[in-house]
Amino acid sequence: MECSDIVGYVDPLNVSPGAKAAVKVSCSRDTFTSKVFRLGSGYSHPDAPPVSHKVVDAFPQQTHRGTPQFSRIGSSVRIDSWNEPDLDEVDILYISFSCQPTLPSGSGHEQYLFSSFDDINLIGFQGLLAEDGSLLVRVAGPTELQEVRFSLEFVRHQWYKLMFSIEFDPPNVRLQSWAKGRDIGELVQPAQEEHRLNHEPRISSALPMAIASDSRPDKPLTKSEKSVSFNGKIERFLIETQLDGTVSTILALDFSHGIPTDEIRDVDGKLCGKTINGPSRAVTSGHWNGSKSDWTTYKEGYRAIHFHDDDLDDVNWETSFELDMPKDLRSGCYAVFVDDGQTTDWIPFFVKPDPRAVKVPPVALIIPTFTYTAYANEHLFDENRDVHFMAEGTEIDKYSKTMMKRPDLGISLYDSHNDGSGTCYSSVKRPILNMRPDYCMWLFDGPREFPADLWFVDFLQRELGPEGFDVITDHQISESGSQLLARYQVLMSCSHPEYPTFSMLDTYTNFLKDGGRFMYLGGNGYYWVTTHDPDRPHRIEVRRGEAGCRTFGLPPGNWHHSMTGELGGLWRSRGRLPNKLFGVGSCAMGVGKGSGYGITKEAREHPRVSRFLLGLEADEIIGDFGLVQGAASGDEIDRLDFDLGTPHNAVMVATTKLAGGHSDEYMLFNEETLYPMINTTGRTSDKVRSDIVFFETPSGGAVFSVGSINWVGALAWKAFNNNVAKLTANVLHDFVRDPGMISEGVQQYRPSAHKTTE
């Protein structure tokens, strides 16, 4: 299905003042125009703040040449040369490996197991699965490509050891196969089959070798192409030659080497090649027996790589134009608006604060770019996929329709792969179409994550002025740590900070220990173990195990991250519960109407908390309205729980249970339940609730948490003229007034912003 919609991305996503950023655009029309905006509210609704994007004068409108760009999707291994100069003099070439097909038929395309082939000069060989699942070998001859079809029929998820023999005199192709029984009741027999070729093979080791894909050179695509990647695992890839009865090894790869990297090494550790498009590493191989589940201590069980025909790490588009960031450009959320006369796109990027600035504002808004990366191009609305839960009658917006037309833009960490296996990696080197200021999330018929978080930008500008806060991101905190956060007095989260790394949690801990103040204004935060590699900053890794609110679970043995070796799953399962840092932890989710909060008696009587409540009536319900799900508490929600680590001096400011609570459309997360599994819904469980919590730290710091993703939707209601905005503003100004502890040499002030116009 072709798509003519203009789309693009900025690389890098996070850019420093004074640096350059590449804008990469796919446009099927002759020309398109570009403008740069500083983003504010972008969701149009009668009760929402007005759209408030502002043109940045430093970037004049430009016209560019349009070029359609598509990505070559699917993962593989590429070996540039396998270094055997005398192949013409050998008697036999052997290619052997073990594999586990996970979608042997039904993929809709050919799936290459290996390929070293030049179709222009007609040299080389290939092994692949045809669309119907048949196993083929193709060998170049002097004048034609010779194809052999074997009778072996792959069974999904069964392990096979295969040895292909390409014989020169007489010309012949032989297959020996050994299948591993899928269970204790299955008896399998080795098999052998051979076919005569019409001509002597023409083979050259100077050609690249591709594993799990074909060996065509990577080049920009101007039209959509089907993936040709294999769906399944491959291990112990070996190439040998035989001459006069003597067998010599040319290439012996061991995929248990270099697991944290994109490198491919041989059995001796020598660098031989690289992975393409991020196939899954640190996955179990055919010899894994469950005795150990950590790849760092059991290499023998982790010699495989799992390839997928929809893996994508980098679309590798050509640069359409560059942006030179002014040195005085203020930190914030920005977008390049592109228009080809028929379709448009908002292409976001984030400008970092100037690290050399001596004077800084007191507040930093943390944009959860790891959450945006995890949800990037999520397809849960697509009923044709294995994992989906689109409600009947739900409509999707233009961005989701484009996702369906452009499978080459990849999937999210919430989608299963085409073979049914779970995803582990996600990347920002691609257009992320649900990270747009006007994106409407299909499940809630409203903004979620990035478009909702832009309301925080407008709120802070309203309360502190445009120069009263900085904007920072998860990526920046992961890379810079405490050195970055120590510059600020107050940190404010956005609506869904779900994906922190271990170092980020340490950084937040140090910030609070040093007297910092934190406003956690979201829900389901600090939930999944996440890995971010500074050497590949575009990529994150998440491994979903046997607990947590998830759309799939990875099989046993696959729960340790490839980048670090650390155990994946929930931070709760590793003792880093969000309750300990922020007073609340995620407990439930629902898609029905949300709930407001009732104020507690304890809050009214608390000396400091009572100041937060100025302007609110004693019996006033907080947030029984909102732009998403009709209330401040909805979507995924958090609660106070002293048994899970909430500090014992925490004050419950308000709770949804005092405002009627949630309906039975809200249910407990599975990690919250044990046998017997009863009383798990909003009306039957006291655990299904949102709590607003406040506590102070011994060093003068403080935390204010609201326990709901949808808090921001109520905050923005009636353009911030409501009691949710009033309460939030009271806390913000209280936190800012008390200076807390600021890094030595840093002064607070409101810096000059780069000029913007309406």
Side-chain angles (χ1 to χ4, degrees):
M1 185 188 304
E2 295 295 333
C3 177
S4 61
D5 295 346
I6 189 171
V7 294
Y9 67 105
V10 174
D11 185 28
L13 181 65
N14 297 266
V15 60
S16 299
K20 290 182 181 291
V23 184
K24 301 168 184 279
V25 177
S26 172
C27 175
S28 61
R29 295 172 182 87
D30 291 339
T31 62
F32 66 93
T33 61
S34 67
K35 293 181 183 178
V36 176
F37 289 80
R38 182 178 172 89
L39 296 180
S41 300
Y43 178 66
S44 296
H45 187 279
D47 294 312
V51 174
S52 60
H53 311 319
K54 297 179 179 179
V55 174
V56 182
D57 292 339
F59 303 99
Q61 178 172 316
Q62 299 184 67
T63 300
H64 313 274
R65 181 175 60 87
T67 302
Q69 302 202 67
F70 291 83
S71 58
R72 190 176 179 193
I73 200 163
S75 58
S76 61
V77 162
R78 186 177 181 88
I79 311 295
D80 286 331
S81 176
W82 32 293
N83 300 320
E84 177 57 40
D86 300 321
L87 279 180
D88 291 339
E89 300 179 9
V90 304
D91 298 329
I92 305 174
L93 177 72
Y94 298 106
I95 305 104
S96 61
F97 55 90
S98 295
C99 69
Q100 184 190 45
T102 51
L103 192 63
S105 61
S107 68
H109 59 81
E110 294 180 334
Q111 301 183 60
Y112 283 76
L113 292 164
F114 55 86
S115 175
S116 181
F117 188 74
D118 178 350
D119 59 349
I120 297 176
N121 296 303
L122 198 61
I123 301 174
F125 58 93
Q126 301 171 323
L128 65 149
L129 301 181
E131 288 194 30
D132 64 1
S134 301
L135 179 59
L136 310 177
V137 168
R138 295 171 180 159
V139 181
T143 59
E144 66 177 354
L145 181 63
Q146 307 167 94
E147 182 175 281
V148 170
R149 184 179 296 262
F150 292 97
S151 60
L152 176 65
E153 295 183 2
F154 280 138
V155 176
R156 190 179 188 189
H157 298 305
Q158 187 158 25
W159 277 99
Y160 299 84
K161 182 179 180 181
L162 306 177
M163 176 180 281
F164 297 88
S165 306
I166 301 176
E167 302 171 5
F168 287 76
D169 186 17
N172 198 53
V173 176
R174 185 191 313 268
L175 170 65
Q176 295 172 276
S177 62
W178 300 263
K180 181 180 180 181
R182 289 167 294 173
D183 53 56
I184 200 170
E186 183 176 27
L187 176 65
V188 292
Q189 298 290 342
Q192 180 170 306
E193 184 177 349
E194 63 180 278
H195 295 269
R196 188 70 177 264
L197 298 174
N198 295 326
H199 306 283
E200 182 175 308
R202 296 186 70 228
I203 295 173
S204 170
S205 67
L207 296 176
M209 169 68 71
I211 302 170
S213 186
D214 66 13
S215 50
R216 291 175 297 166
D218 283 335
K219 59 182 180 180
L221 301 179
T222 58
K223 62 179 181 179
S224 177
E225 291 187 4
K226 287 184 177 181
S227 175
V228 293
S229 289
F230 174 61
N231 287 290
K233 297 179 181 180
I234 293 177
E235 68 166 309
R236 298 176 185 271
F237 192 88
L238 179 67
I239 299 179
E240 299 170 299
T241 59
Q242 180 174 316
L243 177 62
D244 298 332
T246 300
V247 176
S248 301
T249 298
I250 298 177
L251 185 69
L253 301 181
D254 184 348
F255 295 156
S256 70
H257 289 310
I259 284 177
T261 72
D262 293 334
E263 299 171 350
I264 295 298
R265 297 182 178 272
D266 65 14
V267 293
D268 297 321
K270 178 184 176 182
L271 180 64
C272 298
K274 63 181 180 179
T275 61
I276 305 295
N277 268 339
S280 298
R281 305 193 72 170
V283 296
T284 55
S285 52
H287 289 79
W288 186 78
N289 60 13
S291 61
K292 295 181 180 179
S293 59
D294 179 355
W295 64 265
T296 66
T297 62
Y298 183 37
K299 299 284 183 154
E300 181 66 23
Y302 291 89
R303 298 192 187 278
I305 294 178
H306 194 156
F307 302 93
H308 308 91
D309 63 4
D310 53 1
D311 278 329
L312 180 64
D313 185 60
D314 186 347
V315 296
N316 276 317
W317 287 359
E318 294 187 327
T319 298
S320 304
F321 60 98
E322 288 188 329
L323 297 175
D324 289 310
M325 302 296 160
K327 292 182 179 179
D328 59 347
L329 188 62
R330 195 154 47 93
S331 69
C333 307
Y334 292 82
V336 182
F337 179 73
V338 291
D339 184 347
D340 65 10
Q342 296 186 42
T343 62
T344 62
D345 191 20
W346 292 92
I347 307 174
F349 63 97
F350 304 95
V351 174
K352 304 176 183 180
D354 184 350
R356 299 163 300 179
V358 175
K359 298 180 180 180
V360 297
V363 177
L365 176 67
I366 303 170
I367 301 295
T369 46
F370 287 170
T371 297
Y372 304 161
T373 308
Y375 278 90
N377 295 341
E378 162 264 302
H379 283 70
L380 293 176
F381 55 82
D382 186 350
E383 296 179 346
N384 295 315
R385 301 187 66 86
D386 280 354
V387 176
H388 67 272
F389 55 90
M390 186 170 180
E392 185 176 349
T394 301
E395 295 186 1
I396 60 175
D397 74 348
K398 70 170 187 174
Y399 296 114
S400 297
K401 291 176 181 177
T402 300
M403 287 182 215
M404 295 187 71
K405 298 173 186 176
R406 295 285 309 250
D408 67 309
L409 302 184
I411 57 176
S412 75
L413 290 176
Y414 287 79
D415 301 300
S416 62
H417 288 290
N418 289 332
D419 68 355
S421 61
T423 50
C424 298
Y425 312 114
S426 187
S427 166
V428 298
K429 281 185 176 286
R430 54 173 167 154
I432 300 177
L433 298 183
N434 54 351
M435 189 175 69
R436 296 299 191 252
D438 55 343
Y439 168 71
C440 184
M441 206 276 182
W442 53 273
L443 187 60
F444 301 109
D445 191 27
R448 193 174 193 254
E449 287 145 6
F450 180 61
D453 291 340
L454 290 173
W455 284 327
F456 286 121
V457 174
D458 274 10
F459 172 76
L460 287 174
Q461 291 193 156
R462 169 190 171 105
E463 295 299 323
L464 302 177
E467 302 170 351
F469 64 99
D470 272 344
V471 170
I472 60 178
T473 68
D474 284 348
H475 284 80
Q476 295 163 39
I477 297 172
S478 174
E479 293 166 7
S480 301
S482 295
Q483 183 179 3
L484 173 63
L485 297 194
R487 299 169 66 82
Y488 302 103
Q489 177 183 336
V490 180
L491 299 179
M492 179 185 287
S493 85
C494 285
S495 62
H496 198 183
E498 188 175 4
Y499 291 91
T501 66
F502 187 90
S503 65
M504 289 170 66
L505 293 179
D506 278 353
T507 298
Y508 293 141
T509 300
N510 292 335
F511 176 79
L512 291 172
K513 284 183 176 179
D514 290 341
R517 286 80 195 287
F518 203 106
M519 298 179 69
Y520 168 29
L521 301 185
N524 188 224
Y526 319 102
Y527 190 68
W528 287 107
V529 175
T530 306
T531 300
H532 176 233
D533 183 353
D535 294 331
R536 294 165 291 178
H538 61 284
R539 187 190 304 175
I540 64 169
E541 179 178 9
V542 175
R543 302 237 169 179
R544 306 191 196 278
E546 56 185 342
C549 182
R550 63 206 190 280
T551 52
F552 60 81
L554 295 177
N558 294 269
W559 299 341
H560 284 259
H561 285 217
S562 65
M563 292 186 189
T564 59
E566 65 185 307
L567 179 64
L570 299 183
W571 280 120
R572 171 174 175 158
S573 300
R574 288 177 53 185
R576 299 298 297 263
L577 294 88
N579 308 67
K580 294 181 177 181
L581 275 184
F582 306 108
V584 296
S586 198
C587 59
M589 178 186 178
V591 296
K593 189 180 186 304
S595 172
Y597 299 77
I599 302 170
T600 66
K601 183 174 182 291
E602 180 186 10
R604 284 290 178 189
E605 296 174 350
H606 190 280
R608 189 170 182 183
V609 174
S610 61
R611 300 202 303 267
F612 301 163
L613 303 174
L614 291 175
L616 279 66
E617 299 297 328
D619 58 352
E620 189 170 350
I621 300 300
I622 300 170
D624 54 349
F625 47 80
L627 293 163
V628 186
Q629 292 181 275
S633 174
D635 195 340
E636 292 174 296
I637 59 175
D638 303 4
R639 73 165 192 277
L640 172 151
D641 194 321
F642 293 114
D643 291 337
L644 295 178
T646 298
H648 283 79
N649 64 329
V651 177
M652 183 187 288
V653 179
T655 178
T656 54
K657 288 300 185 183
L658 293 178
H662 295 86
S663 72
D664 286 341
E665 292 185 77
Y666 285 76
M667 299 188 68
L668 276 177
F669 286 169
N670 56 62
E671 67 267 22
E672 290 281 326
T673 62
L674 295 171
Y675 183 84
M677 296 180 188
I678 58 175
N679 300 330
T680 60
T681 63
R683 290 194 177 95
T684 62
S685 175
D686 181 60
K687 292 183 176 181
V688 179
R689 67 177 196 269
S690 277
D691 298 328
I692 300 175
V693 171
F694 169 77
F695 66 90
E696 296 171 305
T697 67
S699 56
V703 172
F704 176 81
S705 299
V706 301
S708 167
I709 287 179
N710 286 349
W711 182 265
V712 68
L715 178 82
W717 178 258
K718 299 295 184 182
F720 308 111
N721 292 302
N722 60 74
N723 58 21
V724 169
K726 180 66 175 175
L727 172 59
T728 307
N730 286 347
V731 175
L732 174 65
H733 291 294
D734 179 277
F735 280 14
V736 171
R737 276 194 301 268
D738 190 341
M741 298 180 69
I742 302 297
S743 291
E744 183 179 353
V746 172
Q747 304 173 33
Q748 298 172 34
Y749 93 128
R750 296 186 175 182
S752 297
H754 195 83
K755 181 183 177 184
T756 59
T757 58
E758 295 293 341

